[in-house]
Amino acid sequence: MIDIRISNCNKNYGSLRVLKDINLEIERGEFIVLLGPSGCGKSTLLHIVAGLDRLTSGAIEIGGRDVTDVEPKDRDIAMVFQSYALYPTMSVRSNMEFGLRMRGKPMAEIRPLVEEKARMLHIDHLLDRRPSQLSGGQRQRVAIGRALVRDPRVFLFDEPLSNLDAKLRASMRTEIKKLHQSLGTTAIYVTHDQLEAMTLASRMVVMKAGEIQQVGKPEEVYHRPVNLFVADFLGNPGMNFMRGHIRLDGGHISADIGAAILPLDGYAFEAAPADGQAVVVGLRPESIQPISGLTSGGGAFTLTLRPTLIEHTGSDNLVVLAMGDEEIVGKFPTDMLPKLGEPVTVGFDLGRLSLFDAESERRI
Amino acid sequence: MRRFLQRHVSQVALSPSLALIAIFLYGFIAYTAAVSTTNSKAFPRFDNFVGLEQYWRLFHTPRWHVAFTNMFLFGGLFLLITILLGLLIAILIDQRIRAESFFRSIVMYPMAMSFVVTGIIWQWLLNPTLGIEVMVHQLGFTSFRLDWLTNPDTVIWALVVAAFWQGCGLVMALFLAGLRGIDEDIWKAAAVDGIPAWRVYVFIVIPMLAPVFLTVVVLLSLSIVRAFDLVVALTNGGPGVSSDLPSVFMFDMAFRRTNLGLSAASAVVMLGTVLAILIPYLYVETRERA
């Protein structure tokens, strides 16, 4: 069942086109993450769904009802903001109660509801404090609590964890995920943090310059990016890109990247390749490993390369390898570290390879 | 010596101004208090100690009672009207209106004028033979009367209106700055929560402006106690002494009626009044900060 339908949505600020013909359908209970660099229009899109921004053309439907010209309060949504946006002159309890009171709900119903949600978020002991007396994490819990008591059809999150420190962010992320699993409410979540997007999303929407680049499950977007932008934007460290061209040789297809010729017989092409077509080969660092570390059987391909730099990240080690004039990065387990300058045989997991047309930058 | 300077450089740097303040502010407050216990006429003389007699005389001078009451009447009305309308104008200007800076300049402009000019402008405007009254008569409403300046019961309104006209710009600017400092997400959260705009102002935004209110009250209160030039230019205390303020009374006693002792006593009473308002405020302020 479609819960939110965004059709042909455009937003212009003067001559600046912030959103270009956005179409998106969100199923009931999905957790949709809008991901993209700053200025890509993801927050604007969220504000338009919330009704805080008017769209220039297009339509928004929530729960089968056209809400394009409906006020935010009548859209059956609740929103959590990056800056928490708590009412600073009110206690935590009043912050959570206020919206319900404005809707004319009787106090006798509000009280137990607020207390229940506060217990759920472990802020029941803070109900009589002011927001200024709380830590950042506690404030964000209150902001989530204020959204929860409204029991809306859709939750909207606008970078809710960006103001928290790394450790708190990770634990709040887990809690939001648990919360969504137990409530099952449809949610749209805006972030520029790909880790948040990968862990939280049931589907993620990657945006760039007002356009949707790719919509899909996190692992699908991660492993089968539709274009160079998505491939480059996701993953840390980023994907290795190697320029080359296609060689059609009898029945065999391969990519000549100068330093090596990669067989592509196992690759699932989306468009038929042409001989000599300029391409960019993309391979994530975890697909470049010492030969014994490879697990996927998708056609092991080995090369002997010289390590020029080793970076320790704690759990893994990033090994920079010289390949012709270019350098690529591989992820090596700690017990298989090569020595600097001594050539080492590395395996390429070609089953995880992505191939892009050099001109259109699209996946082929 | 060098080490002494290094260690106490801040004290050394501050000491000249501290010395000046000690002499010219606190020194002369003490001097005035001393003069108020003498029978000085045109010049201060300390050979004629009369104790608190000047205060007794002061509180038995009807003109002082008029002036002292006027200060609270004028001050209360001025404070109330200026804060309410200043805030209202700030809220209206904050609605992302067109030509915002144009309206802002209009409201701010009177601030650029001295109280003397303000006083004279309003004297003309309120003059029954050439100001607003004549204008309304020419429009055909011949029964209209605007005799604030000549009626002892309403002359205080003339002062309030002129002072408001001058002070409104500053108050509006302070409130506008406060309103602009409020996180936009609060407005968005309120919109999603479905709280009507006036309720957001009453329950959330205006309480958030509490520090601005405090600043405004202090600034306006100081200008109330200081108010002198406006009265001199607009009404000169008249009709009779009905629009006298303590500052005008004090000036009159000291420099026109050669009664320095009584004038000093009125100055001390004014200082006492200011302290009676200011000390509780400072007490609350410092306790909240701590």
Side-chain angles (χ1 to χ4, degrees), chain A residues 47 52 72-73 77-78 81 83 85-90 98-99 102-103 146 150, chain B residues 183 185-196 199-200 203-205 207-208:
Chain A
H47 279 83
L52 295 167
K73 67 182 166 80
I77 51 159
F81 296 86
S83 64
L86 297 176
Y87 311 132
T89 51
M90 295 184 183
F98 204 46
M102 289 299 118
R103 275 156 209 269
R146 186 172 63 181
R150 294 262 315 282
Chain B
D183 183 4
D185 281 353
I186 295 233
W187 280 104
K188 293 180 187 164
V192 173
D193 266 353
I195 306 170
R199 277 187 186 250
V200 182
F203 291 114
I204 299 164
V205 171
M208 281 173 83

Side-chain angles (χ1 to χ4, degrees), chain A residues 223-295:
Chain A
H223 289 301
R224 294 181 57 82
V226 294
N227 58 30
L228 266 182
F229 171 78
V230 177
D232 193 30
F233 188 72
L234 282 183
N236 185 25
M239 195 182 244
N240 293 297
F241 294 114
M242 296 157 272
R243 297 195 160 269
H245 58 267
I246 293 284
R247 278 167 69 160
L248 294 180
D249 208 3
H252 295 291
I253 307 174
S254 55
D256 183 350
I257 53 167
I261 293 171
L262 306 175
L264 295 177
D265 293 323
Y267 185 77
F269 280 96
E270 306 211 331
D275 192 34
Q277 182 180 2
V279 292
V280 176
V281 176
L283 204 54
R284 296 211 177 269
E286 59 267 30
S287 303
I288 301 173
Q289 289 205 350
I291 181 70
S292 47
L294 273 186
T295 46

Side-chain angles (χ1 to χ4, degrees), chain A residues 56 77 82 235 274 358:
Chain A
T56 310
I77 51 159
Q82 178 179 356

